Amino acid sequence: MLTAFARAFKTPDLRKKLLFTLGIIVVYRVGTHVPIPGVDYRNVQTCVDAAQANQGVFGLINMLSGGALLQITVFALGIMPYITASIILQLLTVVIPRLEALKKEGQAGTAKITQYTRYLTVALAILQGTGLVATARSGALFQGCPVASEIVPDQSIFVTITMVISMTAGTAVVMWLGELITDRGIGNGMSILMFISIAATFPSALWAIKSQGNLADGWIEFGIVIAVGLVMIGLVVFVEQAQRRIPVQYAKRMIGRRSYGGTSTYIPLKVNQAGIIPVIFASSLLYIPALIAQFTGGSSGWKTWIEQNLARPDATPHIILYFFLIIFFAFFYVAISFNPEEVADNMKKYGGFIPGIRAGRPTAEYLSYVLNRITWPGSLYLGLIALVPTMALAGFDANQNFPFGGTSILIIVGVGLETVKQIESQLQQRNYEGFLR
């Protein structure tokens, strides 16, 4: 990785792209510390300091925003509305024929779907911003903080609308910054911003574990966490790179005096074909009942049960439900994102076949069989990795923002590997000498 970046900085045009990307990252990080109008910043800081050990149901969103959510800054919503919009459009593409037709139109159709994603991102930002402002005004954002109800001193309609507009505009700016990185930087802009958001929370979380430790002033706990993190990164890199390569042979065809085809290739089926999506789906689904219970007054039986069994990440029902939801969404997402029938039809159209398997329906059945077999270990791996924060809670009393949590490690490793691959591919394009010198 370091070698790729060193070589990239020696290439003038790649160096410009890297420096441009670093500049956008600086702007993004500055925006995560700019408070929105109408918020008492001193009271926010008081409550944030008191809530570091327990962020409740907002922990995941706060992590994906780089800690900006609980700070109630301009970029408080971060990249989350765009991620949600992208997932929704991807799911709707399978359901709505018009979107499926646009997807098959190539670059023009993709541009249209991207435009729809932007509109949906703004709509979701307005919805989520309204919810965040309402939560802050009611004091539910920081439960147990004595000044939680004084975070928004002026609760007039004008101030509320101003706060929502500020956060929506911040989300639009974040989306624009991500697209700038994709177009003029090293690519994968949205993923890089999400990578930076998560990595920005690591130093404070690690230092908090050191400060709260009891063995040798916390250095032993600190070392254990670092060792666990390195082992997890190695495991995630190994599994993320693992794939089943299905060989494909293309028959030789004669057109005039020229022959075409006769080449061999393969279809790469990753063990973790679904990526991070099942974890986000499962977390979001478990987030809903906990959020409803948090806004419900009184002490009814169902509210108490949710708070004790679903809102607490170390509760047994929460662990079991979370694990099985991840497995379910892994199979669900793979089923909608990879179509064996379509792949088999395309292979048959261009004269391709899997050795030993007849073209057409037998090929589709074989691909479906292999995909189901490798999705099982992939889904179990996702479930176990996602439960690492829970094991940290039980093992050495870490807080819910355990720095090497499953979601954060999956995103960081995935984005890091993809970014290095893009840089190396661009280096190969520029350093390729060919046969003539």
Side-chain angles (χ1 to χ4, degrees), residues 351-400:
F353 62 94
I354 300 174
I357 307 295
R358 293 179 58 187
R361 185 173 181 82
T363 298
E365 293 176 351
Y366 176 75
L367 290 174
S368 179
Y369 170 77
V370 173
L371 195 61
N372 287 333
R373 290 287 296 272
I374 66 173
T375 301
W376 270 113
S379 61
L380 293 174
Y381 145 81
L382 279 178
L384 293 175
I385 289 292
L387 290 177
V388 166
T390 303
M391 292 185 282
L393 281 167
F396 41 95
D397 198 23
N399 60 28
Q400 292 184 19

Side-chain angles (χ1 to χ4, degrees), residues 75 78 121-122 125 166-179 190:
F75 292 167
T121 299
V122 174
S166 300
M167 282 190 284
T168 304
T171 299
V173 171
V174 170
M175 183 169 56
W176 177 60
L177 294 177
E179 292 181 354
M190 301 300 176

